Amino acid sequence: MVVEGLMNVFGDPLVILFIAIGVIVGIIFGSIPGLTATMAIVMFLPVTYTMTSTQGISMLIALYIGGISGGLISAILLNIPGTPSSVATCFDGRPLAEKGQAAKALGVGVVFSFIGTVVGVLLLIVISPLLASLAIKFGPYEYCSLAIFSLSLVITLSGKDLVKGLIGAIIGALLATVGLSPIDSRQRFTFGSADLTAGFKLLVLLIGLFAVTEVIKYAGQVRKPEKIEIESGVKMKGIGFTAKEFFSQIFNCIRSALVGVGIGILPGIGGGVSCMISYTVAKNSSKHPEKFGTGIIDGVVASESANNGTIGGAMIPLLSLGIPGDPATAMLLGGLMVHNVSPGPLIFDKNGAVVYGIFFAMIISAVMMMIFMLVGMRGFIKVLNIPKNFLLPAIVVLCCIGAIGDSNRIFDVWGVLIFGLLGFGLLKAGIPSSPMILGFILGPMFEENLRKASQLASSDSAFRHPIFFLFMIVTVIVVFMSLRSNKKAAQAENSIASE
């Protein structure tokens, strides 16, 4: 399977071409604030319909890696993160640029983004087969407890307001109940509509919540234009920094990448959290924590290594368990299904060659990302000058085309628009969309396996399933720690406010 996967990638020149195109487009989307890796995958998913599975999936992977990495350009040059994964890059990247060291900040970000991606992919290659072999033993009890554990992460995703996070998760779970119920196939909430019988598609939900909501949000801000000054005179010499500076950051890079992989494995969290956590860890571990935020490469290394390490981490549960680790991998889940690749414990048996092709495509994408960004940095900087009012209408049209192409239903276009309005309403109400997506994905999994487990309870007791109890114990620990952390944060804010 390894050799076959290798030949699928390197034996087809079109695969290499599509990877190159995906990386370049991903970098452009990642570098323009508001256009994320998720949106790039949404737009180009319909383009892959006529491709082979290896070609299509490789291009989507390239868009993912390019999009996550491209966010550092605007974070350093504009102090605006191109993607949520580059939030912490602003903290030291922009001060470095203001010191006249933009080339160093960009070079450090690109090189350590590459290393973080490679670390994540290597751990993906090692962990995924082990996790898949363990998941083969999963039955209704195990999957039910896994869904409960994943849904418990709503507490983490909710931030300061747990109630709003739970509201979002419940809305997502309710939307997933529309259509035919599992096991007995009874109609629910269809109101006599044949279109609603098939339920809402994950792809339609994601396009609406991310792409259309972003367009509506920008439309509301168009009367308040922001004055953005772009530093376009950046000159790169070599990779922008010295070998001594590179070797001094190796430990910081590996540690941050491992943090990114660990965060990425947890469903629904993503690079935005991992870059903040790794930045905090690097600052707390530094001999000179007071220098963080003033413009040192340590902060850029920590942020970019972590958010790119998250790529490999997020792919681990996606391939092994069929659970996306972040919104971008949720889109990749749709892409895999479009190309008849079903993620889960049996993926290595049924689609082993495609999976190893994905591994090789990720490595190639990481190499191309580093080369293109170092060579074409000045060209990518100029892309930031393109007005959004030219880009966003085209994005809406392409998103609608993508929605139709998924199931050939005009109903899905209305669904995209409705979910876009819903997402904008949630944004105004302060309700996070991540718990909603988590509820939509995991709700059916929980319901189906809960019903199966209840049917088996009389003949197969839960006490015979140690993995079930392991997940339940971990869930209780996660809930307790998250609640305590939220309580401490609230108390700290109250004490600061009182002072």
Side-chain angles (χ1 to χ4, degrees):
M1 288 190 294
V2 177
V3 175
E4 189 178 351
L6 182 66
M7 292 305 299
N8 285 344
V9 175
F10 288 96
D12 186 355
L14 286 177
V15 173
I16 306 299
L17 175 63
F18 291 142
I19 289 175
I21 294 172
V23 169
I24 293 172
V25 172
I27 292 171
I28 293 171
F29 267 73
S31 64
I32 298 175
L35 303 185
T36 62
T38 305
M39 199 176 292
I41 297 172
V42 168
M43 284 184 58
F44 279 82
L45 185 56
V47 178
T48 69
Y49 288 169
T50 57
M51 300 179 185
T52 66
S53 57
T54 302
Q55 291 172 353
I57 295 171
S58 295
M59 186 175 191
L60 296 176
I61 290 291
L63 288 164
Y64 183 25
I65 292 176
I68 295 296
S69 304
L72 67 91
I73 297 176
S74 57
I76 292 169
L77 299 178
L78 306 179
N79 201 33
I80 302 174
T83 65
S85 300
S86 298
V87 171
T89 306
C90 298
F91 299 162
D92 282 288
R94 183 56 183 171
L96 272 170
E98 290 172 346
K99 292 178 181 179
Q101 299 179 342
K104 175 185 283 190
L106 291 169
V108 167
V110 171
V111 172
F112 285 98
S113 289
F114 166 75
I115 297 175
T117 304
V118 172
V119 171
V121 173
L122 292 177
L123 288 175
L124 166 66
I125 295 171
V126 173
I127 296 174
S128 290
L130 299 176
L131 188 58
S133 61
L134 174 64
I136 290 174
K137 302 177 182 178
F138 279 26
Y141 284 105
E142 287 77 14
Y143 275 113
C144 185
S145 60
L146 174 63
I148 294 173
F149 165 70
S150 300
L151 287 168
S152 70
L153 296 173
V154 168
I155 298 174
T156 305
L157 297 174
S158 302
K160 301 173 184 177
D161 199 331
L162 175 59
V163 174
K164 289 183 178 179
L166 290 173
I167 290 172
I170 291 171
I171 292 173
L174 288 174
L175 289 172
T177 61
V178 175
L180 301 179
S181 65
I183 301 178
D184 57 12
S185 297
R186 291 187 178 182
Q187 292 189 12
R188 299 187 300 193
F189 307 113
T190 59
F191 305 104
S193 170
D195 290 315
L196 286 175
T197 303
F200 297 114
K201 302 294 183 182
L202 174 62
L203 180 65
V204 174
L205 176 73
L206 291 171
I207 291 175
L209 285 182
F210 287 94
V212 178
T213 297
E214 189 64 35
V215 173
I216 297 173
K217 186 175 91 172
Y218 177 75
Q221 299 171 346
V222 73
R223 295 183 180 276
K224 301 176 183 178
E226 295 181 7
K227 186 178 180 181
I228 296 176
E229 296 181 359
I230 300 172
E231 185 177 344
S232 56
V234 177
K235 296 181 180 180
M236 295 287 293
K237 293 182 179 179
I239 58 175
F241 59 102
T242 65
K244 181 180 178 181
E245 289 173 320
F246 172 79
F247 287 109
S248 69
Q249 296 297 322
I250 290 295
F251 177 73
N252 183 16
C253 171
I254 300 299
R255 178 185 59 201
S256 300
L258 293 176
V259 170
V261 172
I263 296 296
I265 292 174
L266 300 176
I269 298 182
V273 176
S274 68
C275 74
M276 296 295 293
I277 292 177
S278 64
Y279 184 89
T280 304
V281 170
K283 182 177 181 179
N284 293 339
S285 305
S286 174
K287 296 179 181 178
H288 306 285
E290 70 281 356
K291 293 184 178 180
F292 277 73
T294 63
I296 59 175
I297 63 174
D298 303 56
V300 178
V301 170
S303 174
E304 290 302 318
S305 300
N307 63 31
N308 282 268
T310 305
I311 294 172
M315 292 292 290
I316 291 172
L318 174 68
L319 295 177
S320 303
L321 302 174
I323 298 175
D326 59 16
T329 49
M331 294 305 308
L332 287 175
L333 175 63
L336 289 169
M337 292 180 174
V338 164
H339 291 282
N340 297 318
V341 178
S342 300
L346 299 177
I347 190 171
F348 287 91
D349 293 330
K350 294 182 177 180
N351 304 102
V354 175
V355 174
Y356 284 102
I358 291 173
F359 295 158
F360 289 118
M362 293 182 75
I363 296 294
I364 296 171
S365 299
V367 174
M368 286 187 176
M369 176 273 295
M370 182 173 67
I371 294 172
F372 290 156
M373 288 187 73
L374 289 175
V375 174
M377 190 66 69
R378 295 186 68 181
F380 290 126
I381 291 170
K382 292 179 181 178
V383 174
L384 299 176
N385 289 306
I386 300 176
K388 276 191 180 180
N389 56 303
F390 292 136
L391 290 172
L392 295 181
I395 288 172
V396 172
V397 172
L398 291 172
C399 286
C400 291
I401 293 172
I404 294 175
D406 184 38
S407 300
N408 293 320
R409 299 192 307 172
I410 195 68
F411 172 78
D412 288 336
V413 175
W414 292 108
V416 165
L417 299 177
I418 290 170
F419 285 131
L421 292 171
L422 175 62
F424 184 70
L426 294 176
L427 184 69
K428 289 297 183 181
I431 298 175
S433 59
S434 295
M436 181 176 170
I437 295 169
L438 203 62
F440 187 85
I441 294 172
L442 297 175
M445 174 181 167
F446 171 70
E447 179 189 4
E448 180 178 356
N449 287 285
L450 178 64
R451 295 183 67 175
K452 288 180 179 178
S454 63
Q455 292 173 353
L456 294 172
S458 59
S459 58
D460 186 13
S461 173
F463 293 103
R464 299 178 183 176
H465 299 269
I467 296 177
F468 168 80
F469 284 101
L470 175 63
F471 273 119
M472 295 306 295
I473 291 170
V474 173
T475 300
V476 172
I477 294 173
V478 167
V479 170
F480 176 76
M481 296 297 291
S482 299
L483 289 174
R484 191 174 71 168
S485 175
N486 288 353
K487 184 178 179 181
K488 286 183 178 180
Q491 290 175 344
E493 287 186 3
N494 291 335
S495 63
I496 293 173
S498 61
E499 292 175 1

